[in-house]
Amino acid sequence: MARIESRPTRRTRAKHGDQPKLTIEERLLAAMERLLENGHRFAALTVEQLTDEAGIARGTFYLHFRDKGELVARLMSQVTEEIIASTGTWLSDAEDARHQVLQQALVGMVATFKKHQAILAAVNDTAPYDQNVASLYRTMVDRICAQSRVSLDTIKRKGRSRPGATDDVAEVLSWMIVMYCARFIGERNGVELDRLAESLGYISASTAFADPSAAAPAAAKPAAQRKTKSSM
C-alpha cells in the first residue's frame, strides 16, 4: 500500500523554487481552509475575511463571484473533481479494474479528503442547518455515487463483481466513505492515515469484487468425491 504523503507547504515549494501561480479560486480555497483550520466558523466567514486572507481586493472577488454562496459552490465543485481524479482509473475507466485498482483508489481519495479536511468537515457539519450547503454537499456525494455505479456496472459486465453488488451497494459505499472521512480524517495522520486508507480499500474491494479463489474449492470438490468413492 502506497504511503499517503501530506501536500507540500508553500514554504517547501518556495525552498525548491517551485511556485506555480495560483488562480483566484485556488487562492480563495486555500484562504478558506486556513481560516477554518484556525477556528473560524464556516457560516460566519465574510467576503472581507476571505479576500484579506487570500491577499486579493474585494472588488476582484466580485469580478469572479456574485457572493460567498457562489464561491462555496465553485469550490465544492473543484474539490469534487479533485476527489474523483484522485481515484485514478477506478472512477474514470474501470474496464480493466481489479481489487488493487479499487484499493489504490481509496489511497488517493483519503489523501484528497485529508488535504481538504477543513472545508469538507465544515460543510458536513453545516449541512443539517443550511439548505444551500446541504444541497452542495449532496451534489458532491451524488456525483461520486454516480461514478461509482458506472464503475460497478463495468466490473459486473466483465464478470468480476461479487453477487449482490448492486447499484445500492455502490451508493452505500460512497456515502460511507465520504461521511467517515469528513468526520474522522482530521484525527488521523501518518501510519494511522495509511491504515484508514487500507481499511476502506479492503472493505470496498471485498464488497465489490468476487473472491478470485472462491471457485477453486468448488471445482476441486467433484474430484475429491470421486477419490472417496473409488476408495470404498
Side-chain angles (χ1 to χ4, degrees), residues 91-108:
L91 290 183
S92 61
D93 182 8
E95 288 290 327
D96 298 317
R98 297 292 193 279
H99 287 72
Q100 295 83 355
V101 170
L102 182 48
Q103 290 169 334
Q104 192 60 36
L106 266 296
V107 172

Side-chain angles (χ1 to χ4, degrees), residues 17-33:
D18 180 17
Q19 289 184 300
K21 186 175 181 179
L22 299 178
T23 66
I24 295 297
E25 286 184 27
E26 288 170 337
R27 290 169 67 179
L28 286 166
L29 174 58
M32 181 177 286
E33 290 180 327

Side-chain angles (χ1 to χ4, degrees), residues 11 23 86 155 175 202:
R11 182 178 297 176
T23 66
S86 71
I155 66 170
W175 272 100
Y202 173 79

